[in-house]
Amino acid sequence: MFVAVEMVDTVRIPPWNFQRQFNEAIAEELNKKLANKVVYQVGLCICLYDITKLEDSYIFPGDGASHTKVHFRYVVFHPFLDEILVGKIKHCSQEGVHVSLGFFDDIVIPPESLQQPAKFDEAEQVWVWEYETDEGAHDLYMDQGEDIRFRITDEVFLDTSPTGPSAAATNTPAAPGAEEGGQKKEAPYTLLVRRRSLI
């Protein structure tokens, strides 16, 4: 579930942090930059594990800060495929069951991956598993806050880097205070559960 990933970055230490221990200043800057961020094709960064190598520092003309190339290992949330996790149901919708691990909320169990036969109860906004027994069918509700165990079968990374203005946006100026044209904000890292993998 958690892995230590080797990374390299150039860290800028502003002059007012020169009085601090060098490693502490670098660790703080790396955590400010990466903690709780998704790195594309890597995963959700949690915290700095250790610094493995510091190269020479440079001060560039016009900038009083030091710039140091740092080799380090960072703890990253990146579950492997077929890993079994336990989470809590955050909410249910027509799209499926949304699950939270407490620190990560972008886990979606689509309807076709639920135990079958399953149906969505519009009145209560929950998914219901119609469990068959010798005595007949029993409705088992997937209520919000309940624990759920599931197997990761896919991950989706979405590049959410800023893009330049589109051609249509340059031709028609936006009204002051208006939001961008109905774009839905999407999660940069989503875990999916596929058919017959709910436990």
Side-chain angles (χ1 to χ4, degrees), residues 104-155:
F104 186 75
D105 293 338
D106 295 319
I107 301 171
V108 179
I109 303 172
E112 62 271 8
S113 298
L114 299 172
Q115 294 100 332
Q116 296 299 324
K119 65 179 180 182
F120 185 67
D121 187 341
E122 290 285 344
E124 295 195 33
Q125 292 293 303
V126 294
W127 280 92
V128 180
W129 177 25
E130 297 170 331
Y131 182 69
E132 295 288 336
T133 64
D134 294 336
E135 301 168 2
H138 296 280
D139 288 347
L140 299 176
Y141 290 83
M142 297 181 199
D143 291 321
Q144 183 176 348
E146 292 291 323
D147 286 342
I148 189 167
R149 182 174 286 131
F150 55 93
R151 179 173 300 152
I152 301 297
T153 57
D154 197 10
E155 60 184 2

Side-chain angles (χ1 to χ4, degrees), residues 2-133:
F2 295 99
V3 292
V5 176
E6 293 184 14
M7 298 178 156
V8 178
D9 196 8
T10 300
V11 178
R12 180 182 184 274
I13 305 295
W16 51 85
N17 282 338
F18 285 170
Q19 82 278 1
R20 298 183 61 199
Q21 288 289 326
F22 192 54
N23 283 359
E24 288 177 11
I26 285 180
E28 181 181 331
E29 291 299 319
L30 285 171
N31 279 325
K32 269 199 253 182
K33 182 175 185 177
L34 294 172
N36 206 24
K37 305 273 189 325
V38 173
V39 176
Y40 189 67
Q41 298 296 336
V42 175
L44 175 67
C45 293
I46 305 295
C47 67
L48 179 68
Y49 183 72
D50 65 357
I51 296 172
T52 56
K53 181 180 176 187
L54 293 172
E55 295 187 8
D56 292 334
S57 298
Y58 297 97
I59 297 178
F60 298 116
D63 183 11
S66 71
H67 299 263
T68 308
K69 190 171 184 180
V70 181
H71 299 254
F72 58 96
R73 290 188 293 176
Y74 216 86
V75 177
V76 172
F77 171 69
H78 187 142
F80 55 87
L81 296 182
D82 291 330
E83 182 172 0
I84 296 171
L85 300 175
V86 178
K88 290 196 179 291
I89 296 175
K90 186 176 176 188
H91 70 277
C92 295
S93 68
Q94 291 280 4
E95 299 169 351
V97 178
H98 299 263
V99 180
S100 173
L101 295 176
F103 63 92
F104 186 75
D105 293 338
D106 295 319
I107 301 171
V108 179
I109 303 172
E112 62 271 8
S113 298
L114 299 172
Q115 294 100 332
Q116 296 299 324
K119 65 179 180 182
F120 185 67
D121 187 341
E122 290 285 344
E124 295 195 33
Q125 292 293 303
V126 294
W127 280 92
V128 180
W129 177 25
E130 297 170 331
Y131 182 69
E132 295 288 336
T133 64

